[in-house]
Amino acid sequence: MASSDPYTENRIRREVVALILLFLILFLLLGLCSYLLPFFSGEPALQQPAANWCGSFGFYSAHYLFSFLGLIAFFPVGILCYATITVLLSKEVANRLPSIVAGLTGIAISSSGLFGSFEELLLPADFVQPGGYLGSLVWRLLSGVIGDAGSVLVLLLR
């Protein structure tokens, strides 16, 4: 009777997960970059879904990431990169992954809120709001309660 080695099975599982995460990283990165290209041309325009390097799914992924998070849309790619490295390294680091991702998510929300204070930054505001929907919401809620200076302090010291 052949017995399987649990260490080998665990290693294979981690490598498969890492490959899937790597695919997601590259897919999102290509989709986001392709989505931004028409904005830097002489006459900025919104890209057609079929023109995105990753097809319609890449276009809509990028569109909704930029709509919701604004210029912080690349942050989930960074979180996926960290998760990929963590999965490949060791079990001890993987146990801390939820705490680290929660902290990075807080940083993304704070950054998006800070960018929500700008009307236009780098990209035409007609197409991409700097803070996206989330940043505008956080900024409006905080500035309505504690004012602009207090909002900046809270978001910077998060």
Side-chain angles (χ1 to χ4, degrees), residues 76-133:
V77 175
I79 292 174
L80 285 174
C81 286
Y82 181 79
T84 303
I85 293 168
T86 302
V87 164
L88 286 175
L89 288 181
S90 69
K91 186 175 181 178
E92 294 80 30
V93 177
N95 289 338
R96 294 186 329 204
L97 185 62
S99 301
I100 293 171
V101 169
L104 291 174
T105 303
I107 291 171
I109 291 171
S110 296
S111 301
S112 186
L114 281 173
F115 283 169
S117 66
F118 298 112
E119 290 183 24
E120 186 170 329
L121 183 69
L122 298 176
L123 300 172
D126 297 338
F127 303 112
V128 176
Q129 294 292 327
Y133 174 75

Side-chain angles (χ1 to χ4, degrees), residues 28-101:
L28 281 176
L29 196 58
L30 286 172
L32 290 169
C33 290
S34 174
Y35 185 81
L36 288 179
L37 284 180
F39 298 138
F40 293 116
S41 65
E43 202 173 298
L46 189 62
Q47 182 183 51
Q48 294 299 316
N52 192 290
W53 296 338
C54 295
S56 295
F57 188 73
F59 170 82
Y60 287 113
S61 309
H63 178 75
Y64 288 116
L65 274 172
F66 276 117
S67 295
F68 188 70
L69 296 174
L71 298 177
I72 305 299
F74 287 97
F75 211 79
V77 175
I79 292 174
L80 285 174
C81 286
Y82 181 79
T84 303
I85 293 168
T86 302
V87 164
L88 286 175
L89 288 181
S90 69
K91 186 175 181 178
E92 294 80 30
V93 177
N95 289 338
R96 294 186 329 204
L97 185 62
S99 301
I100 293 171
V101 169

